[in-house]
Amino acid sequence: MMSGALAVIGFTWIASPACTELEMQMMDWLAKMLHLPQHFLFSSGGKGGGVIQGTASEATFVALLGARSKTLAQNDNNKQLLTKLVAYASDQSHSSVERAGLLGAVQMKLLPSDESLSLRGDVLREQIKKDRANGLIPFFVVATLGTTNTCAFDNLVEVGTVCEEENLWLHIDAAFAGSAFICPEFRHHLNGVEYASSFNMNPHKWLLINFDCSTLWIKNTEYIVDAFNVNPVYLRHDNQGQIPDYR
Ligand code: PLP
């Protein structure tokens, strides 16, 4: 709202320190309101933090790219493995999840949900087993909290456990329902969030913030910030590396 109203250009910290620092502060405030794990907060002093994206679609795509770069880094950056990468989501996930797979040029498998339209851990585990046996490399899972069709919730504890066992990046898409987690009586829907590598919700929906404001938290920002860093001379400044440059 501030950058929109005052026409602030905040692409690097030096371009507007207040713009960057207010965004960092605001992302920490919102993470605390949502009761997200400490590792998503800048104030934890770790590698985590939040950033405003345009849309949930964009957030899922960015998370997928982060997971992709992490997996390639763990495999000697062998780009030939790209064709073997496989990601998963439920058949109830938003179309933007499937599209993230298309844009990221990886397979995205939409797995059957149960009678409550929820993705369960055993379905995911079975598919991963089959895919590994066929030489594929599972790397990314999207769990939806509040599906677009019916506001169904994937079983985060089960799905998260599988992701931890299998070393997969778990992204949570809580695009519209995420705002509800501010209320203590709905917070239990977030149980299992500790397994997530990234979490996204849209304040521009239930929180009535100006479009566009889609908030994305990442547990380890290095996989995105460092992996996709291009550092031309005209954007460099003396404080680089000490504070995020949101570009
Ligand atoms: N995910 C879910 C669960 C949604 O309900 C929606 C939109 O309704 C999206 C993703 C896409 O959100 P956006 O329009 O911010 O990309």
Side-chain angles (χ1 to χ4, degrees):
M1 287 165 76
M2 193 180 137
S3 69
L6 302 181
V8 175
I9 304 293
F11 38 55
T12 53
W13 174 83
I14 198 76
S16 171
C19 187
T20 298
E21 291 173 32
L22 192 62
E23 182 164 339
M24 293 170 67
Q25 186 62 255
M26 186 280 297
M27 291 300 294
D28 272 13
W29 285 333
L30 189 54
K32 284 181 195 163
M33 275 171 77
L34 291 162
H35 312 284
L36 294 184
Q38 275 291 322
H39 55 237
F40 284 124
L41 276 71
F42 288 110
S43 57
S44 74
K47 295 177 176 174
V51 61
I52 300 174
Q53 301 286 293
T55 62
S57 310
E58 202 180 326
T60 304
F61 180 49
V62 168
L64 180 139
L65 293 181
R68 203 183 68 175
S69 71
K70 179 183 178 189
T71 309
L72 288 181
Q74 288 169 341
N75 288 279
D76 301 323
N77 274 316
N78 180 357
K79 300 251 175 356
Q80 286 171 347
L81 294 181
L82 276 175
T83 55
K84 298 193 168 168
L85 296 184
V86 56
Y88 308 94
S90 107
D91 57 7
Q92 298 300 308
S93 61
H94 187 263
S95 56
S96 55
V97 175
E98 190 176 352
R99 191 172 46 194
L102 292 174
L103 290 167
V106 295
Q107 284 189 65
M108 173 67 71
K109 294 196 175 179
L110 301 181
L111 306 178
S113 46
D114 71 5
E115 65 283 358
S116 303
L117 303 174
S118 168
L119 178 63
R120 305 296 300 270
D122 49 357
V123 173
L124 177 63
R125 192 178 279 111
E126 269 310 296
Q127 190 62 48
I128 291 172
K129 205 167 138 193
K130 271 190 215 154
D131 288 344
R132 286 205 198 277
N134 286 325
L136 296 178
I137 305 173
F139 79 109
F140 182 62
V141 175
V142 179
T144 307
L145 299 183
T147 60
T148 316
N149 290 337
T150 63
C151 200
F153 286 73
D154 288 337
N155 191 315
L156 195 52
V157 174
E158 289 182 10
V159 168
T161 306
V162 176
C163 289
E164 183 162 85
E165 285 165 12
E166 299 283 344
N167 187 28
L168 309 187
W169 181 302
L170 173 62
H171 174 72
I172 297 178
D173 173 8
F176 78 87
S179 307
F181 304 142
I182 294 170
C183 305
E185 63 272 33
F186 297 127
R187 172 59 178 73
H188 65 275
H189 287 298
L190 253 188
N191 289 348
V193 65
E194 59 278 7
Y195 295 112
S197 296
S198 50
F199 175 88
N200 167 244
M201 51 83 74
N202 282 352
H204 67 226
K205 288 178 176 162
W206 269 357
L207 282 186
L208 309 181
I209 304 299
N210 298 39
F211 185 82
D212 50 359
C213 181
S214 182
T215 43
L216 171 67
W217 288 268
I218 299 157
K219 187 174 173 181
N220 185 345
T221 58
E222 282 176 358
Y223 295 119
I224 291 168
V225 177
D226 295 352
F228 303 114
N229 187 25
V230 179
N231 197 21
V233 69
Y234 46 81
L235 289 175
R236 283 181 213 156
H237 59 84
D238 289 345
N239 301 86
Q240 231 166 348
Q242 292 169 39
I243 195 149
D245 280 320
Y246 272 125
R247 70 185 163 89

